[in-house]
Amino acid sequence: EAAALRAAVDALKPPDQAVTLSLDRVLACVDPGGQPQQKPVEVNLDPPTIFVSARPAILLMFLGEPQFKPVEPKRTDLMFATNTNWDLFLDTASQRYVLLNQDRWLAAADVKGPWTPATDLPASLSSLPADDNWADVRANLPGKRAKKAPAVFVSTQPAELIVTDGEPSYSPIRGTKLMRVTNTDSVLFLHAGDSKFYLLVAGRWFRAASPDAPWSAASRDLPADFAAIPDDDPAAFVKASVPGTLEA
């Protein structure tokens, strides 16, 4: 029996072929007695701020309070936001903020809004530095005229945004009491058993009585129906984030 197993192993991985292993795996085998199991990883399960909109919306998120710098040294007429991944500018002469949303511009007197379609752009934008940093912005000058501004949610801390195309639409998942919300890019479910919504964000689950109600952590006590999602269901990918499943 041992000879047959050796032959099977050698067929899969011939002895003359090198094997590349991660250093972590090697170190784990050096002293197996001291590492009987994987050490638990502390994960923050506190829900982030979760915004909800039933119409087109964007999330303007900053890492802390908004910070601005000149687009060029010694230039004070046009500033750009440094702690967000949006193209956001401040025209210091008019004290007006302009925000590039895809190929359309929005404007506001305050960075936290309200935001409206920009009817005209500050003249300072036309003299952006001619380098790759501003190539996408220059390509959208003057940009298309936005007929209606999306809802703009502003946050200075980690946040998430659920956008549905109107009121939620549902697709039942066979063999369970789960219904997936289908008219959103978010991973959102309604559980008919407890009438709660469940949201998956970055491998963590949160629950609420309704999408716009307060959210709480749910990763440790998910309904068993999540583990019972059929493998051929389009929502089966979430089982990688359901504790106790083979996928997880």
Side-chain angles (χ1 to χ4, degrees), residues 76-94:
T76 59
D77 61 329
L78 185 64
M79 318 281 281
F80 74 99
T82 61
N83 57 341
T84 181
N85 60 349
W86 289 86
D87 291 314
L88 173 65
F89 299 89
L90 169 63
D91 178 66
T92 57
S94 63

Side-chain angles (χ1 to χ4, degrees), residues 20-66:
T20 301
L21 298 176
S22 71
L23 178 60
D24 288 340
R25 287 184 178 274
V26 174
L27 294 177
C29 295
V30 171
D31 182 20
Q35 303 185 56
Q37 62 182 12
Q38 291 288 343
K39 295 181 180 179
V41 177
E42 291 298 325
V43 178
N44 183 2
L45 299 179
D46 296 335
T49 301
I50 298 175
F51 300 101
V52 180
S53 179
R55 67 181 183 90
I58 60 175
L59 174 59
L60 176 57
M61 189 163 61
F62 297 91
L63 298 178
E65 291 299 316

Side-chain angles (χ1 to χ4, degrees), residues 83-116:
N83 57 341
T84 181
N85 60 349
W86 289 86
D87 291 314
L88 173 65
F89 299 89
L90 169 63
D91 178 66
T92 57
S94 63
Q95 285 297 297
R96 186 165 59 127
Y97 298 89
V98 288
L99 171 67
L100 179 60
N101 177 32
Q102 297 181 348
D103 56 358
R104 290 169 169 80
W105 289 88
L106 306 175
D110 189 295
V111 72
K112 296 183 179 180
W115 291 86
T116 59

